[in-house]
Amino acid sequence: MSNISGNTPVTSINTYNKNKYQIRFSNFPNFTNKKIDMNIFNLYMQSFTIPDISIPMLNTVYMHERQLHPASIGDRDLQTIMITFQIDEEQRNWYSFYSWLWFMRHGMPCGKTNLDDEELLRMDCIDTIEVIHCNNNGEVISKMKFQHCILNNLSSLEMNIQTSEIGTFTATFEVESIDLDLLTDEE
């Protein structure tokens, strides 16, 4: 019914984005029963949002003076990223995300197993999402990597019949870690 393999690697730069960003998924939980060309994600990415990060503060009073203390919470709260896509001509990019969420909502894992050989919905994730930034010459200068990305929301898709606007949708992921690789000559 589904597989993780069968994804075509991304080789093109996103022509919609003038900042020369590219997105790569290490894998994609494919529940569509069709081969997925990964360019339907990269070439139609419109924006990428990394929300703010904050830390709760504890409030104490000592000798009639208010004091604030950062309350460390570790990784209890996952970080959220949002990727907005323009819908491709055949609507495959939207349908790929929709199918993934539909199967997860019904408790049907894709077949990927953990180290104990158990099929868990937690394993239905993209292992790494890379957001690659290129300079004006098309050379990669940095890679932001998001690990263990679980799709948890797909926005509504509005398609206007009487206008020339391109339909867009946003995929929201919870991620377990973020890393930045700077690819400069100084290393």
Side-chain angles (χ1 to χ4, degrees), residues 73-141:
I73 59 173
D75 287 333
R76 286 185 294 213
D77 295 328
L78 296 179
Q79 301 170 50
T80 303
I81 59 172
M82 294 169 282
I83 309 171
T84 301
F85 296 92
Q86 293 179 346
I87 192 163
D88 69 289
E89 292 83 5
E90 297 175 336
Q91 301 174 2
R92 286 182 184 235
N93 57 2
W94 174 83
Y95 186 69
S96 297
F97 286 113
Y98 174 83
S99 297
W100 180 4
L101 268 180
W102 190 90
F103 277 85
M104 280 200 310
R105 284 182 65 166
H106 291 85
M108 301 167 75
C110 69
K112 189 175 173 186
T113 60
N114 65 7
L115 294 175
D116 294 331
D117 219 22
E118 301 170 310
E119 282 188 47
L120 302 172
L121 288 178
R122 170 178 163 61
M123 301 308 294
D124 293 347
C125 67
I126 296 173
D127 295 327
T128 304
I129 296 175
E130 284 186 334
V131 177
I132 299 163
H133 183 213
C134 298
N135 63 15
N136 289 335
N137 296 328
E139 299 162 338
V140 175
I141 57 175

Side-chain angles (χ1 to χ4, degrees), residues 145-187:
K145 296 179 181 181
F146 303 87
Q147 280 85 25
H148 202 91
C149 307
I150 301 171
L151 180 67
N152 73 336
N153 187 45
L154 188 63
S155 71
S156 59
L157 175 63
E158 182 178 349
M159 296 187 288
N160 296 317
I161 307 220
Q162 301 280 332
T163 65
S164 61
E165 293 178 19
I166 297 172
T168 61
F169 65 92
T170 300
T172 304
F173 296 89
E174 297 294 327
V175 300
E176 291 189 352
S177 65
I178 299 174
D179 190 26
L180 178 66
D181 288 342
L182 299 176
L183 307 171
T184 61
D185 293 336
E186 299 169 6
E187 293 182 28

